[in-house]
Amino acid sequence: MADAYYQSGSSPVGQLANGDRLGAYVVSSLIDTSSFATAYAGSDPILNRQVLIEQIHLTGSSEDEQIRQRVKDTAGKVRQITTANAKTWAPVLEVIDEPRGLFIVTERVGG
């Protein structure tokens, strides 16, 4: 895809780089990597807010589809929790499943 939804600049498929777009969000920096996910700081330039973008590590195995579904189900449940208790949870803004991977975008809380 060549539209704004899938702009990866010079970064390899599967990795995000500063300035890359993911839906409405722009990646600003890498925060950390774990065995489960890579976290990036980002922004939503339309609504002028800071976000956290987590890229879930998928292995290319037959279990990936189950992982995708579990992440999407969990994100839906977290949305319900954050509505009821917004001060203790970072709201899940969006789950994005696209060619570069599976991403959870949350409101960035704190530093």
Side-chain angles (χ1 to χ4, degrees), residues 90-108:
V92 173
L93 302 174
E94 191 170 358
V95 175
I96 300 173
D97 191 356
E98 54 115 277
R100 291 177 290 180
L102 179 63
F103 302 87
I104 300 172
V105 182
T106 61
E107 190 172 301
R108 188 158 181 207

Side-chain angles (χ1 to χ4, degrees), residues 76-89 91:
K77 290 174 185 169
V78 169
R79 277 192 192 121
Q80 293 171 355
I81 292 169
T82 57
T83 302
N85 199 1
K87 292 185 180 182
T88 56
W89 290 82

